[in-house]
Structures are given as structure tokens and as C-alpha cells.
Amino acid sequence: MLSESHDVPTRALYEELPYPGDGVVRTPVARNLRRALAEHRSDLLRKPGLRILDIGCGTGESTLGIARLFPGASVVGIDVNEASLARARDLANRTAPDVRILRCDIVDELPRALTTGPLAGEPAFDVLVSSGVLHHLSDPAAGFQAARRVIAEDGLFLCWVYSRYGRWDDQAVKALAQSVVPPSSAFAARANVIRQLGLAKKHTPADFLRTLGVRMRFGPPIAPIELLRVYLRRNVATHVADTYANPCEHYFTFAELESLVERSGWRCLGLARGFGMPTTPDEHSRDPRVLTVLRDTPRSALYDYFAYAYGAWGFGVLLDATPAQ
Ligand SMILES: C[S@@+](CC[C@H](N)C(=O)[O-])C[C@H]1O[C@@H](n2cnc3c(N)ncnc32)[C@H](O)[C@@H]1O
């Protein structure tokens, strides 16, 4: 049962424009997860009945992508937003009916989900995934702490959250849009004005080609038909509103993120590969002068630099449930 005590600052946005709302099963997150498990926890890849939880599944496109790439796994998606959940259930019914899509608030309900909540009596999850969600909580630390309560001791968490330097320009556009477009209007109307004025630099054909190039270089491996279907089905107003009119978002330097997750009971293993930027200096450049600088650069600054250089929106980090020493 849902407690209404906790504020969900993005509720109005996602009620009006459930995200991503494209209605196409998407596999990039699943591909990155499979790569991360192969590199860090290949035992989990072989585990029968692997339990995977997608925290903040939205309209379920990536959750169903995980089900597609992990056919023997037990996959659960949770979200607080009824409009999104309805679409996610519809997509699940059409593509993978065994996937469970549940209403569950991350902060209020997830910590008790395995005891008195919607998953009562079930074992902890082997793998958690959360893409583009915890930075939208008023208190992201509460989200990381909640996730920590539902993972097995030897589990792995793949979490993607916004980078401060990867989204520096969006923050300027968002502030400008707020002063030009009255925040009282509906989100779709705001998104349309933002597009008409040419403020949206993302979600344009040029940006699509740029990100395609980065993705071909660093992964995840492209699934051309899926990519084309997503591009053709894309509800641009939803994506523009999410990027430029979101009522609550936090941005992190890598050091800020690392400190936050470690205070929340996690150990940060580093960046997962495949989220639109390199993870080592050698993937970035062959220029010996560049490499001389970057090989001496501390990890957190290196990752901030990569996020900035590639306009990577966020960090896909791998966390394990062993607290930092
Ligand atoms: C940007 S969408 C991401 C959806 C999905 N993970 C994806 O990448 O396609 C953020 C989602 O987080 C959900 N969310 C925000 N606060 C939440 C909370 N307190 N509990 C559960 N879900 C929440 C929203 O309803 C929304 O569906």
C-alpha cells in the first residue's frame, strides 16, 4: 500500500508525459548490463532464475529490453507513476508477460518491499538497475539507501545518473527557458515553445547523429532496427520536457557521486562501459601529449573530463553492496 507522505517532485511531469513513452522495447541498458556482468560478475550471468529489479522503470521499454536479453531471469520493474505503469504493463503483456510491473515508491516503500511490501517473502535481488531516476528524487541519497535494502550481499547495482559537466549546457538552456516560458503552462506546451524558439539543442536530428557516432565508438552495440523504430516512434515533446523542464534534477561530479553512494552504503567499482564515453585514457586518444596528462589525472577528474568532452549526459556506475572500507 502506498504511503502518500513522501513528496514526488516529478509527479506532474510524468503523469502528463509518461517517460519515455515510445512503446518500443529498448535494449541499450540491457546490453550495458550484460557487458558489466561479463566483466565484473560472470557468475551472475550463469545464475539460474537471476533476480533483476529495475528501479523507476517508467513506461517499461528498458525493463522489457532486460527481459529480452536475460531470458531466464525473473525481472521486476517498479515505478510510482500510474500513467507510466499502465503503459509498461501494456508493453509487458505484448512482449514478455512474465515481467512484473509494480507500483512502489522508492523512498517510502522500497526499503520494506521484501518484508511487508509488494514483494513480501521474496529473496533479495541479485542485480539492480536504475536508469535516469535517482537524480529526480528530492533526496537522491534516500534512493541509494532504499536500493541497498533490497540487494543480495553479493549483488551488483548498475545505476545511471546525470553528470554535472555532461549537462552543463542543458542547465543554462533550462534556466533560460524558465525565464522565457511561463512554468505554469502544461509540460507539452512548454516543450513546444522551447522547440519553436530553437532552445532545445538535444533531440534534434544533428544531436541524434552526434550521439549515434559516440555510441558506435563506445557502445552499447547498435541494434539498427530497434534504433530506427525508437527514432521514428519518439515523442519529442516528452523528451524535450524531460530534458529542459524537469521540476527536479540533481547533477553530480564523479567525486560527488562517489561520496554520495559510499555514504549510502555502497562501494563504487567505477564506470560501466557503454554509456557514451570512454572509460580509459587510451580509449579517448592516441596523442601521446594527451595521454601524458590523462594518465596522471585522478579517476574522478578523468571521468568529469570525459563527460564534458563527449557531452555524455550521465555516469553509468557499478556499485556493489560491500561497504567501502
Ligand atoms: C526519466 S524516467 C526514467 C524511466 C526509465 N528508467 C527509463 O530510463 O526509460 C524517471 C522515472 O522515475 C520515476 N520516479 C520518480 N520518483 C519516483 C519514486 N519516488 N518512486 C518510484 N519511481 C519514481 C518516475 O515516475 C519516472 O517514471
Side-chain angles (χ1 to χ4, degrees):
M1 204 174 46
L2 183 73
S3 150
E4 293 295 343
S5 59
H6 165 65
D7 174 42
V8 180
T10 54
R11 192 186 295 278
L13 169 64
Y14 296 123
E15 283 294 338
E16 183 190 329
L17 299 171
Y19 186 93
D22 300 322
V24 176
V25 173
R26 309 188 58 168
T27 56
V29 171
R31 288 166 192 269
N32 288 340
L33 174 63
R34 201 166 56 179
R35 184 146 111 176
L37 290 176
E39 281 178 11
H40 293 269
R41 292 297 309 277
S42 55
D43 58 313
L44 289 179
L45 272 183
R46 293 188 298 272
K47 185 171 178 177
L50 183 74
R51 283 173 55 76
I52 306 178
L53 176 68
D54 185 7
I55 298 173
C57 64
T59 53
E61 280 88 334
S62 289
T63 323
L64 275 304
I66 292 168
R68 182 172 287 175
L69 264 63
F70 292 82
S74 161
V75 179
V76 179
I78 61 155
D79 204 284
V80 75
N81 184 283
E82 286 294 358
S84 301
L85 290 167
R87 293 209 201 182
R89 287 187 187 117
D90 182 51
L91 191 62
N93 287 338
R94 286 189 278 123
T95 58
D98 289 346
V99 170
R100 286 179 293 164
I101 304 290
L102 305 172
R103 179 174 172 158
C104 176
D105 183 287
I106 296 164
V107 178
D108 270 2
E109 292 192 305
L110 188 57
R112 293 181 307 281
L114 298 172
T115 48
T116 58
L119 299 161
E122 297 189 20
F125 288 91
D126 303 299
V127 175
L128 304 181
V129 175
S130 186
S131 178
V133 176
L134 300 186
H135 49 225
H136 291 310
L137 301 177
S138 37
D139 178 9
F144 282 104
Q145 285 157 17
R148 181 69 184 75
R149 301 277 296 274
V150 293
I151 193 165
E153 277 308 313
D154 60 350
L156 196 74
F157 182 13
L158 174 60
C159 181
W160 186 91
V161 289
Y162 288 151
S163 142
R164 189 180 291 286
Y165 289 108
R167 294 208 58 202
W168 70 277
D169 48 348
D170 295 339
Q171 295 172 56
V173 172
K174 192 175 171 189
L176 180 58
Q178 257 167 11
S179 59
V180 176
V181 189
S184 54
S185 47
F187 287 99
R190 269 192 255 175
N192 282 338
V193 177
I194 289 168
R195 289 176 71 200
Q196 278 160 20
L197 294 178
L199 291 172
K201 301 294 177 205
K202 302 246 162 83
H203 314 296
T204 61
D207 185 59
F208 173 77
L209 290 176
R210 188 194 67 79
T211 49
L212 183 64
V214 174
R215 215 167 123 179
M216 286 174 77
R217 204 170 148 199
F218 301 114
I222 309 279
I225 293 180
E226 178 190 320
L227 200 69
L228 186 66
R229 290 181 69 209
V230 169
Y231 186 69
L232 296 176
R233 292 278 303 266
R234 235 166 134 71
N235 183 340
V236 180
T238 301
H239 291 276
V240 169
D242 185 62
T243 306
Y244 296 112
N246 204 301
C248 179
E249 46 188 26
H250 301 264
Y251 315 95
F252 303 97
T253 64
F254 193 83
E256 287 166 345
L257 180 59
E258 200 169 27
S259 152
L260 176 74
V261 300
E262 291 185 352
R263 277 185 279 119
S264 307
W266 295 94
R267 188 163 64 105
C268 181
L269 303 178
L271 280 188
R273 297 212 287 138
F275 284 93
M277 66 170 138
T279 54
T280 63
D282 303 82
E283 279 180 85
H284 169 60
S285 175
R286 294 209 177 114
D287 182 335
R289 292 162 309 169
V290 172
L291 290 174
T292 308
V293 177
L294 292 186
R295 284 193 183 129
D296 289 336
T297 302
R299 179 172 89 163
S300 55
L302 182 72
Y303 290 165
D304 286 338
Y305 167 68
F306 286 156
Y308 173 82
Y310 291 89
W313 295 40
F315 297 120
V317 283
L318 285 169
L319 310 177
D320 83 13
T322 323
Q325 298 298 312

PDB file of all heavy atoms in Angstrom, residues 68-101:
ATOM      1  N   ARG A  68      14.300  -9.280 -22.460  1.00  0.00           N
ATOM      2  CA  ARG A  68      14.636  -9.887 -23.760  1.00  0.00           C
ATOM      3  C   ARG A  68      16.059 -10.442 -23.765  1.00  0.00           C
ATOM      4  O   ARG A  68      16.315 -11.517 -24.275  1.00  0.00           O
ATOM      5  CB  ARG A  68      14.483  -8.839 -24.863  1.00  0.00           C
ATOM      6  CG  ARG A  68      14.752  -9.385 -26.236  1.00  0.00           C
ATOM      7  CD  ARG A  68      14.417  -8.389 -27.320  1.00  0.00           C
ATOM      8  NE  ARG A  68      12.988  -8.231 -27.491  1.00  0.00           N
ATOM      9  CZ  ARG A  68      12.424  -7.341 -28.311  1.00  0.00           C
ATOM     10  NH1 ARG A  68      13.190  -6.534 -29.012  1.00  0.00           N
ATOM     11  NH2 ARG A  68      11.124  -7.245 -28.412  1.00  0.00           N
ATOM     12  N   LEU A  69      16.993  -9.679 -23.158  1.00  0.00           N
ATOM     13  CA  LEU A  69      18.391 -10.128 -23.192  1.00  0.00           C
ATOM     14  C   LEU A  69      18.755 -11.089 -22.067  1.00  0.00           C
ATOM     15  O   LEU A  69      19.825 -11.687 -22.083  1.00  0.00           O
ATOM     16  CB  LEU A  69      19.332  -8.915 -23.167  1.00  0.00           C
ATOM     17  CG  LEU A  69      19.815  -8.471 -24.546  1.00  0.00           C
ATOM     18  CD1 LEU A  69      18.693  -8.006 -25.439  1.00  0.00           C
ATOM     19  CD2 LEU A  69      20.855  -7.377 -24.427  1.00  0.00           C
ATOM     20  N   PHE A  70      17.865 -11.202 -21.054  1.00  0.00           N
ATOM     21  CA  PHE A  70      18.118 -12.139 -19.944  1.00  0.00           C
ATOM     22  C   PHE A  70      16.903 -13.081 -19.860  1.00  0.00           C
ATOM     23  O   PHE A  70      16.112 -12.994 -18.910  1.00  0.00           O
ATOM     24  CB  PHE A  70      18.298 -11.379 -18.624  1.00  0.00           C
ATOM     25  CG  PHE A  70      19.550 -10.552 -18.558  1.00  0.00           C
ATOM     26  CD1 PHE A  70      19.611  -9.288 -19.130  1.00  0.00           C
ATOM     27  CD2 PHE A  70      20.694 -11.040 -17.917  1.00  0.00           C
ATOM     28  CE1 PHE A  70      20.772  -8.517 -19.070  1.00  0.00           C
ATOM     29  CE2 PHE A  70      21.861 -10.279 -17.860  1.00  0.00           C
ATOM     30  CZ  PHE A  70      21.898  -9.012 -18.434  1.00  0.00           C
ATOM     31  N   PRO A  71      16.768 -13.988 -20.829  1.00  0.00           N
ATOM     32  CA  PRO A  71      15.523 -14.744 -20.940  1.00  0.00           C
ATOM     33  C   PRO A  71      15.195 -15.625 -19.726  1.00  0.00           C
ATOM     34  O   PRO A  71      14.024 -15.845 -19.432  1.00  0.00           O
ATOM     35  CB  PRO A  71      15.719 -15.587 -22.207  1.00  0.00           C
ATOM     36  CG  PRO A  71      17.119 -15.420 -22.633  1.00  0.00           C
ATOM     37  CD  PRO A  71      17.713 -14.261 -21.918  1.00  0.00           C
ATOM     38  N   GLY A  72      16.211 -16.114 -18.994  1.00  0.00           N
ATOM     39  CA  GLY A  72      15.899 -16.986 -17.849  1.00  0.00           C
ATOM     40  C   GLY A  72      15.682 -16.218 -16.557  1.00  0.00           C
ATOM     41  O   GLY A  72      15.412 -16.818 -15.513  1.00  0.00           O
ATOM     42  N   ALA A  73      15.805 -14.906 -16.603  1.00  0.00           N
ATOM     43  CA  ALA A  73      15.782 -14.124 -15.361  1.00  0.00           C
ATOM     44  C   ALA A  73      14.359 -13.807 -14.914  1.00  0.00           C
ATOM     45  O   ALA A  73      13.420 -13.838 -15.699  1.00  0.00           O
ATOM     46  CB  ALA A  73      16.556 -12.823 -15.577  1.00  0.00           C
ATOM     47  N   SER A  74      14.248 -13.513 -13.620  1.00  0.00           N
ATOM     48  CA  SER A  74      12.979 -13.021 -13.075  1.00  0.00           C
ATOM     49  C   SER A  74      13.111 -11.498 -12.989  1.00  0.00           C
ATOM     50  O   SER A  74      13.924 -10.978 -12.218  1.00  0.00           O
ATOM     51  CB  SER A  74      12.786 -13.646 -11.688  1.00  0.00           C
ATOM     52  OG  SER A  74      11.851 -12.918 -10.967  1.00  0.00           O
ATOM     53  N   VAL A  75      12.331 -10.800 -13.810  1.00  0.00           N
ATOM     54  CA  VAL A  75      12.509  -9.348 -13.935  1.00  0.00           C
ATOM     55  C   VAL A  75      11.299  -8.619 -13.344  1.00  0.00           C
ATOM     56  O   VAL A  75      10.151  -8.956 -13.634  1.00  0.00           O
ATOM     57  CB  VAL A  75      12.686  -8.947 -15.425  1.00  0.00           C
ATOM     58  CG1 VAL A  75      12.847  -7.438 -15.567  1.00  0.00           C
ATOM     59  CG2 VAL A  75      13.879  -9.665 -16.035  1.00  0.00           C
ATOM     60  N   VAL A  76      11.602  -7.623 -12.499  1.00  0.00           N
ATOM     61  CA  VAL A  76      10.555  -6.809 -11.888  1.00  0.00           C
ATOM     62  C   VAL A  76      10.867  -5.342 -12.172  1.00  0.00           C
ATOM     63  O   VAL A  76      12.027  -4.920 -12.061  1.00  0.00           O
ATOM     64  CB  VAL A  76      10.506  -7.013 -10.347  1.00  0.00           C
ATOM     65  CG1 VAL A  76       9.426  -6.144  -9.712  1.00  0.00           C
ATOM     66  CG2 VAL A  76      10.279  -8.478  -9.987  1.00  0.00           C
ATOM     67  N   GLY A  77       9.852  -4.569 -12.542  1.00  0.00           N
ATOM     68  CA  GLY A  77      10.020  -3.123 -12.696  1.00  0.00           C
ATOM     69  C   GLY A  77       9.121  -2.415 -11.703  1.00  0.00           C
ATOM     70  O   GLY A  77       7.967  -2.818 -11.521  1.00  0.00           O
ATOM     71  N   ILE A  78       9.644  -1.379 -11.056  1.00  0.00           N
ATOM     72  CA  ILE A  78       8.799  -0.603 -10.135  1.00  0.00           C
ATOM     73  C   ILE A  78       8.816   0.874 -10.539  1.00  0.00           C
ATOM     74  O   ILE A  78       9.820   1.387 -11.046  1.00  0.00           O
ATOM     75  CB  ILE A  78       9.237  -0.731  -8.654  1.00  0.00           C
ATOM     76  CG1 ILE A  78      10.670  -0.197  -8.454  1.00  0.00           C
ATOM     77  CG2 ILE A  78       9.104  -2.153  -8.164  1.00  0.00           C
ATOM     78  CD1 ILE A  78      10.946   0.259  -7.042  1.00  0.00           C
ATOM     79  N   ASP A  79       7.717   1.519 -10.289  1.00  0.00           N
ATOM     80  CA  ASP A  79       7.627   2.961 -10.505  1.00  0.00           C
ATOM     81  C   ASP A  79       6.474   3.459  -9.631  1.00  0.00           C
ATOM     82  O   ASP A  79       5.642   2.678  -9.165  1.00  0.00           O
ATOM     83  CB  ASP A  79       7.356   3.295 -11.982  1.00  0.00           C
ATOM     84  CG  ASP A  79       7.814   4.709 -12.355  1.00  0.00           C
ATOM     85  OD1 ASP A  79       7.121   5.678 -11.989  1.00  0.00           O
ATOM     86  OD2 ASP A  79       8.877   4.842 -13.001  1.00  0.00           O
ATOM     87  N   VAL A  80       6.430   4.770  -9.433  1.00  0.00           N
ATOM     88  CA  VAL A  80       5.385   5.341  -8.597  1.00  0.00           C
ATOM     89  C   VAL A  80       4.251   5.929  -9.445  1.00  0.00           C
ATOM     90  O   VAL A  80       3.176   6.232  -8.934  1.00  0.00           O
ATOM     91  CB  VAL A  80       5.990   6.421  -7.667  1.00  0.00           C
ATOM     92  CG1 VAL A  80       6.301   7.692  -8.429  1.00  0.00           C
ATOM     93  CG2 VAL A  80       5.138   6.680  -6.460  1.00  0.00           C
ATOM     94  N   ASN A  81       4.500   6.028 -10.735  1.00  0.00           N
ATOM     95  CA  ASN A  81       3.599   6.795 -11.577  1.00  0.00           C
ATOM     96  C   ASN A  81       2.595   5.893 -12.299  1.00  0.00           C
ATOM     97  O   ASN A  81       2.997   5.057 -13.133  1.00  0.00           O
ATOM     98  CB  ASN A  81       4.483   7.556 -12.579  1.00  0.00           C
ATOM     99  CG  ASN A  81       3.694   8.456 -13.457  1.00  0.00           C
ATOM    100  OD1 ASN A  81       3.065   8.010 -14.390  1.00  0.00           O
ATOM    101  ND2 ASN A  81       3.706   9.728 -13.137  1.00  0.00           N
ATOM    102  N   GLU A  82       1.313   6.072 -12.015  1.00  0.00           N
ATOM    103  CA  GLU A  82       0.295   5.165 -12.563  1.00  0.00           C
ATOM    104  C   GLU A  82       0.219   5.218 -14.080  1.00  0.00           C
ATOM    105  O   GLU A  82       0.021   4.200 -14.731  1.00  0.00           O
ATOM    106  CB  GLU A  82      -1.088   5.485 -11.973  1.00  0.00           C
ATOM    107  CG  GLU A  82      -1.277   5.045 -10.533  1.00  0.00           C
ATOM    108  CD  GLU A  82      -1.254   3.521 -10.348  1.00  0.00           C
ATOM    109  OE1 GLU A  82      -1.121   2.779 -11.335  1.00  0.00           O
ATOM    110  OE2 GLU A  82      -1.350   3.081  -9.196  1.00  0.00           O
ATOM    111  N   ALA A  83       0.351   6.430 -14.644  1.00  0.00           N
ATOM    112  CA  ALA A  83       0.249   6.550 -16.104  1.00  0.00           C
ATOM    113  C   ALA A  83       1.379   5.768 -16.776  1.00  0.00           C
ATOM    114  O   ALA A  83       1.170   5.079 -17.785  1.00  0.00           O
ATOM    115  CB  ALA A  83       0.303   8.021 -16.503  1.00  0.00           C
ATOM    116  N   SER A  84       2.578   5.852 -16.209  1.00  0.00           N
ATOM    117  CA  SER A  84       3.714   5.105 -16.761  1.00  0.00           C
ATOM    118  C   SER A  84       3.500   3.605 -16.572  1.00  0.00           C
ATOM    119  O   SER A  84       3.760   2.809 -17.486  1.00  0.00           O
ATOM    120  CB  SER A  84       5.013   5.520 -16.059  1.00  0.00           C
ATOM    121  OG  SER A  84       5.231   6.894 -16.211  1.00  0.00           O
ATOM    122  N   LEU A  85       3.037   3.230 -15.385  1.00  0.00           N
ATOM    123  CA  LEU A  85       2.858   1.802 -15.087  1.00  0.00           C
ATOM    124  C   LEU A  85       1.859   1.161 -16.046  1.00  0.00           C
ATOM    125  O   LEU A  85       2.059   0.027 -16.497  1.00  0.00           O
ATOM    126  CB  LEU A  85       2.387   1.625 -13.639  1.00  0.00           C
ATOM    127  CG  LEU A  85       3.447   1.949 -12.582  1.00  0.00           C
ATOM    128  CD1 LEU A  85       2.811   2.069 -11.189  1.00  0.00           C
ATOM    129  CD2 LEU A  85       4.533   0.877 -12.565  1.00  0.00           C
ATOM    130  N   ALA A  86       0.789   1.892 -16.363  1.00  0.00           N
ATOM    131  CA  ALA A  86      -0.230   1.336 -17.263  1.00  0.00           C
ATOM    132  C   ALA A  86       0.399   1.024 -18.622  1.00  0.00           C
ATOM    133  O   ALA A  86       0.175  -0.040 -19.206  1.00  0.00           O
ATOM    134  CB  ALA A  86      -1.382   2.330 -17.413  1.00  0.00           C
ATOM    135  N   ARG A  87       1.241   1.935 -19.100  1.00  0.00           N
ATOM    136  CA  ARG A  87       1.880   1.691 -20.398  1.00  0.00           C
ATOM    137  C   ARG A  87       2.906   0.559 -20.302  1.00  0.00           C
ATOM    138  O   ARG A  87       3.062  -0.236 -21.228  1.00  0.00           O
ATOM    139  CB  ARG A  87       2.589   2.950 -20.872  1.00  0.00           C
ATOM    140  CG  ARG A  87       1.613   4.037 -21.192  1.00  0.00           C
ATOM    141  CD  ARG A  87       2.210   4.885 -22.248  1.00  0.00           C
ATOM    142  NE  ARG A  87       1.590   6.183 -22.276  1.00  0.00           N
ATOM    143  CZ  ARG A  87       1.902   7.108 -23.149  1.00  0.00           C
ATOM    144  NH1 ARG A  87       2.856   6.894 -24.026  1.00  0.00           N
ATOM    145  NH2 ARG A  87       1.301   8.267 -23.138  1.00  0.00           N
ATOM    146  N   ALA A  88       3.626   0.527 -19.179  1.00  0.00           N
ATOM    147  CA  ALA A  88       4.628  -0.541 -19.009  1.00  0.00           C
ATOM    148  C   ALA A  88       3.937  -1.903 -18.976  1.00  0.00           C
ATOM    149  O   ALA A  88       4.418  -2.870 -19.586  1.00  0.00           O
ATOM    150  CB  ALA A  88       5.424  -0.304 -17.730  1.00  0.00           C
ATOM    151  N   ARG A  89       2.782  -1.989 -18.294  1.00  0.00           N
ATOM    152  CA  ARG A  89       2.066  -3.279 -18.225  1.00  0.00           C
ATOM    153  C   ARG A  89       1.568  -3.681 -19.609  1.00  0.00           C
ATOM    154  O   ARG A  89       1.626  -4.851 -19.983  1.00  0.00           O
ATOM    155  CB  ARG A  89       0.894  -3.171 -17.252  1.00  0.00           C
ATOM    156  CG  ARG A  89       1.373  -3.131 -15.824  1.00  0.00           C
ATOM    157  CD  ARG A  89       0.223  -3.198 -14.829  1.00  0.00           C
ATOM    158  NE  ARG A  89       0.767  -2.997 -13.492  1.00  0.00           N
ATOM    159  CZ  ARG A  89       0.464  -1.975 -12.697  1.00  0.00           C
ATOM    160  NH1 ARG A  89      -0.402  -1.072 -13.087  1.00  0.00           N
ATOM    161  NH2 ARG A  89       1.034  -1.865 -11.513  1.00  0.00           N
ATOM    162  N   ASP A  90       1.110  -2.706 -20.355  1.00  0.00           N
ATOM    163  CA  ASP A  90       0.627  -2.990 -21.694  1.00  0.00           C
ATOM    164  C   ASP A  90       1.774  -3.545 -22.562  1.00  0.00           C
ATOM    165  O   ASP A  90       1.616  -4.551 -23.263  1.00  0.00           O
ATOM    166  CB  ASP A  90       0.062  -1.681 -22.288  1.00  0.00           C
ATOM    167  CG  ASP A  90      -0.510  -1.893 -23.663  1.00  0.00           C
ATOM    168  OD1 ASP A  90      -1.325  -2.821 -23.801  1.00  0.00           O
ATOM    169  OD2 ASP A  90      -0.123  -1.159 -24.592  1.00  0.00           O
ATOM    170  N   LEU A  91       2.926  -2.897 -22.480  1.00  0.00           N
ATOM    171  CA  LEU A  91       4.085  -3.363 -23.257  1.00  0.00           C
ATOM    172  C   LEU A  91       4.506  -4.761 -22.786  1.00  0.00           C
ATOM    173  O   LEU A  91       4.838  -5.622 -23.604  1.00  0.00           O
ATOM    174  CB  LEU A  91       5.245  -2.367 -23.104  1.00  0.00           C
ATOM    175  CG  LEU A  91       6.441  -2.537 -24.034  1.00  0.00           C
ATOM    176  CD1 LEU A  91       6.046  -2.371 -25.500  1.00  0.00           C
ATOM    177  CD2 LEU A  91       7.549  -1.536 -23.693  1.00  0.00           C
ATOM    178  N   ALA A  92       4.480  -4.975 -21.470  1.00  0.00           N
ATOM    179  CA  ALA A  92       4.846  -6.300 -20.938  1.00  0.00           C
ATOM    180  C   ALA A  92       3.869  -7.352 -21.442  1.00  0.00           C
ATOM    181  O   ALA A  92       4.280  -8.433 -21.894  1.00  0.00           O
ATOM    182  CB  ALA A  92       4.861  -6.268 -19.408  1.00  0.00           C
ATOM    183  N   ASN A  93       2.577  -7.062 -21.413  1.00  0.00           N
ATOM    184  CA  ASN A  93       1.590  -8.045 -21.887  1.00  0.00           C
ATOM    185  C   ASN A  93       1.838  -8.431 -23.337  1.00  0.00           C
ATOM    186  O   ASN A  93       1.620  -9.564 -23.733  1.00  0.00           O
ATOM    187  CB  ASN A  93       0.163  -7.488 -21.750  1.00  0.00           C
ATOM    188  CG  ASN A  93      -0.256  -7.457 -20.292  1.00  0.00           C
ATOM    189  OD1 ASN A  93       0.305  -8.183 -19.469  1.00  0.00           O
ATOM    190  ND2 ASN A  93      -1.228  -6.613 -19.968  1.00  0.00           N
ATOM    191  N   ARG A  94       2.315  -7.455 -24.116  1.00  0.00           N
ATOM    192  CA  ARG A  94       2.527  -7.737 -25.539  1.00  0.00           C
ATOM    193  C   ARG A  94       3.856  -8.435 -25.810  1.00  0.00           C
ATOM    194  O   ARG A  94       3.992  -9.110 -26.822  1.00  0.00           O
ATOM    195  CB  ARG A  94       2.479  -6.424 -26.342  1.00  0.00           C
ATOM    196  CG  ARG A  94       1.060  -5.876 -26.475  1.00  0.00           C
ATOM    197  CD  ARG A  94       0.994  -4.727 -27.444  1.00  0.00           C
ATOM    198  NE  ARG A  94       1.400  -3.470 -26.828  1.00  0.00           N
ATOM    199  CZ  ARG A  94       2.384  -2.704 -27.272  1.00  0.00           C
ATOM    200  NH1 ARG A  94       3.072  -3.049 -28.323  1.00  0.00           N
ATOM    201  NH2 ARG A  94       2.680  -1.562 -26.653  1.00  0.00           N
ATOM    202  N   THR A  95       4.839  -8.240 -24.918  1.00  0.00           N
ATOM    203  CA  THR A  95       6.188  -8.721 -25.265  1.00  0.00           C
ATOM    204  C   THR A  95       6.770  -9.749 -24.284  1.00  0.00           C
ATOM    205  O   THR A  95       7.479 -10.655 -24.706  1.00  0.00           O
ATOM    206  CB  THR A  95       7.182  -7.548 -25.365  1.00  0.00           C
ATOM    207  OG1 THR A  95       7.198  -6.846 -24.119  1.00  0.00           O
ATOM    208  CG2 THR A  95       6.780  -6.572 -26.469  1.00  0.00           C
ATOM    209  N   ALA A  96       6.514  -9.603 -23.003  1.00  0.00           N
ATOM    210  CA  ALA A  96       7.083 -10.533 -22.005  1.00  0.00           C
ATOM    211  C   ALA A  96       6.166 -10.561 -20.792  1.00  0.00           C
ATOM    212  O   ALA A  96       6.440  -9.915 -19.779  1.00  0.00           O
ATOM    213  CB  ALA A  96       8.493 -10.092 -21.611  1.00  0.00           C
ATOM    214  N   PRO A  97       5.066 -11.315 -20.874  1.00  0.00           N
ATOM    215  CA  PRO A  97       4.047 -11.261 -19.829  1.00  0.00           C
ATOM    216  C   PRO A  97       4.535 -11.691 -18.441  1.00  0.00           C
ATOM    217  O   PRO A  97       3.892 -11.376 -17.448  1.00  0.00           O
ATOM    218  CB  PRO A  97       2.953 -12.224 -20.330  1.00  0.00           C
ATOM    219  CG  PRO A  97       3.287 -12.515 -21.747  1.00  0.00           C
ATOM    220  CD  PRO A  97       4.715 -12.174 -21.991  1.00  0.00           C
ATOM    221  N   ASP A  98       5.688 -12.394 -18.366  1.00  0.00           N
ATOM    222  CA  ASP A  98       6.179 -12.825 -17.050  1.00  0.00           C
ATOM    223  C   ASP A  98       6.816 -11.683 -16.262  1.00  0.00           C
ATOM    224  O   ASP A  98       7.030 -11.797 -15.054  1.00  0.00           O
ATOM    225  CB  ASP A  98       7.242 -13.923 -17.212  1.00  0.00           C
ATOM    226  CG  ASP A  98       6.611 -15.215 -17.682  1.00  0.00           C
ATOM    227  OD1 ASP A  98       5.369 -15.308 -17.617  1.00  0.00           O
ATOM    228  OD2 ASP A  98       7.367 -16.101 -18.133  1.00  0.00           O
ATOM    229  N   VAL A  99       7.148 -10.610 -16.941  1.00  0.00           N
ATOM    230  CA  VAL A  99       7.767  -9.479 -16.237  1.00  0.00           C
ATOM    231  C   VAL A  99       6.712  -8.823 -15.340  1.00  0.00           C
ATOM    232  O   VAL A  99       5.592  -8.560 -15.773  1.00  0.00           O
ATOM    233  CB  VAL A  99       8.318  -8.458 -17.257  1.00  0.00           C
ATOM    234  CG1 VAL A  99       8.745  -7.170 -16.568  1.00  0.00           C
ATOM    235  CG2 VAL A  99       9.487  -9.063 -18.014  1.00  0.00           C
ATOM    236  N   ARG A 100       7.099  -8.576 -14.091  1.00  0.00           N
ATOM    237  CA  ARG A 100       6.144  -7.941 -13.170  1.00  0.00           C
ATOM    238  C   ARG A 100       6.410  -6.445 -13.090  1.00  0.00           C
ATOM    239  O   ARG A 100       7.556  -6.023 -12.893  1.00  0.00           O
ATOM    240  CB  ARG A 100       6.257  -8.571 -11.780  1.00  0.00           C
ATOM    241  CG  ARG A 100       5.644  -9.956 -11.738  1.00  0.00           C
ATOM    242  CD  ARG A 100       5.794 -10.565 -10.383  1.00  0.00           C
ATOM    243  NE  ARG A 100       7.180 -10.849 -10.063  1.00  0.00           N
ATOM    244  CZ  ARG A 100       7.635 -11.109  -8.842  1.00  0.00           C
ATOM    245  NH1 ARG A 100       6.807 -11.071  -7.811  1.00  0.00           N
ATOM    246  NH2 ARG A 100       8.899 -11.386  -8.632  1.00  0.00           N
ATOM    247  N   ILE A 101       5.344  -5.683 -13.238  1.00  0.00           N
ATOM    248  CA  ILE A 101       5.439  -4.218 -13.179  1.00  0.00           C
ATOM    249  C   ILE A 101       4.602  -3.789 -11.975  1.00  0.00           C
ATOM    250  O   ILE A 101       3.382  -3.988 -11.948  1.00  0.00           O
ATOM    251  CB  ILE A 101       4.872  -3.582 -14.469  1.00  0.00           C
ATOM    252  CG1 ILE A 101       5.589  -4.126 -15.727  1.00  0.00           C
ATOM    253  CG2 ILE A 101       4.931  -2.066 -14.395  1.00  0.00           C
ATOM    254  CD1 ILE A 101       7.022  -3.689 -15.905  1.00  0.00           C
TER     255      ILE A 101
END
